[in-house]
Amino acid sequence: MLIAFKSKSSPEVLMYQEHAQRILDLLHKNPTRGVITAAEAAHALSVLENEVAESKLHPETDVEHDAHTHEQEEGETREHAVLQRVGFAARAFPLLEMLRTAKAENENIIWGI
């Protein structure tokens, strides 16, 4: 299922729920629907930036997490699936940009509404 993050300050950001789940868990938010208020944006940004930095320091943890969410195609080896992974930093980037803009423009981010 897709989650559409929306804000008046940015273009819409679409993510698969299984990829957004890690981000929303870090922010203690419900994946079905919710809001990151303008007041929460600075804290959310800090939490996600710290997790991105941590994932870069410990890429093996990031690989394990993403290898479970990457659908292995028929005939594809696990090694190839791992090489095709998209890391947490890349997945989180669009939402981080949205958070930065929302914070700067004092706007909320909503999804599932």
Side-chain angles (χ1 to χ4, degrees), residues 11 14 16 18 24 26 29 32 36 38-40 47 62-63 68 72 75 81 84 88 95-96 99 101-102 110 113:
L14 293 173
Y16 284 111
E18 60 265 22
L24 295 172
L26 288 167
K29 298 290 185 176
T32 306
I36 299 171
E40 295 173 318
V47 167
D62 201 29
V63 167
H68 293 297
Q72 192 170 346
Q84 297 300 311
F88 180 74
L95 193 57
L96 282 168
L99 278 165
T101 306
I110 60 172
I113 298 173

Side-chain angles (χ1 to χ4, degrees), residues 22 51 54-68 85 87-88:
R22 181 175 175 188
E51 186 68 11
E54 190 68 25
S55 74
K56 289 179 179 179
L57 288 175
H58 304 286
E60 64 281 351
T61 305
D62 201 29
V63 167
E64 273 306 305
H65 175 78
D66 197 61
H68 293 297
R85 74 173 179 84
F88 180 74

Side-chain angles (χ1 to χ4, degrees), residues 29-100:
K29 298 290 185 176
N30 184 325
T32 306
R33 69 180 184 175
V35 63
I36 299 171
T37 65
E40 295 173 318
H43 176 71
L45 192 56
S46 174
V47 167
L48 291 180
E49 286 174 337
N50 287 337
E51 186 68 11
V52 165
E54 190 68 25
S55 74
K56 289 179 179 179
L57 288 175
H58 304 286
E60 64 281 351
T61 305
D62 201 29
V63 167
E64 273 306 305
H65 175 78
D66 197 61
H68 293 297
T69 60
H70 173 77
E71 301 241 356
Q72 192 170 346
E73 296 177 15
E74 187 176 328
E76 183 180 39
T77 65
R78 177 165 164 52
E79 292 77 22
H80 186 262
V82 168
L83 290 173
Q84 297 300 311
R85 74 173 179 84
V86 175
F88 180 74
R91 290 200 194 283
F93 181 79
L95 193 57
L96 282 168
E97 287 299 300
M98 181 180 265
L99 278 165
R100 288 181 184 109

Side-chain angles (χ1 to χ4, degrees), residues 1-6 12-21 24 30-34 91 110-113:
M1 171 159 57
L2 286 175
I3 296 178
F5 294 95
K6 300 176 184 179
E12 182 177 85
V13 172
L14 293 173
M15 293 179 116
Y16 284 111
Q17 183 174 345
E18 60 265 22
H19 299 148
Q21 186 69 50
L24 295 172
N30 184 325
T32 306
R33 69 180 184 175
R91 290 200 194 283
I110 60 172
W111 62 94
I113 298 173

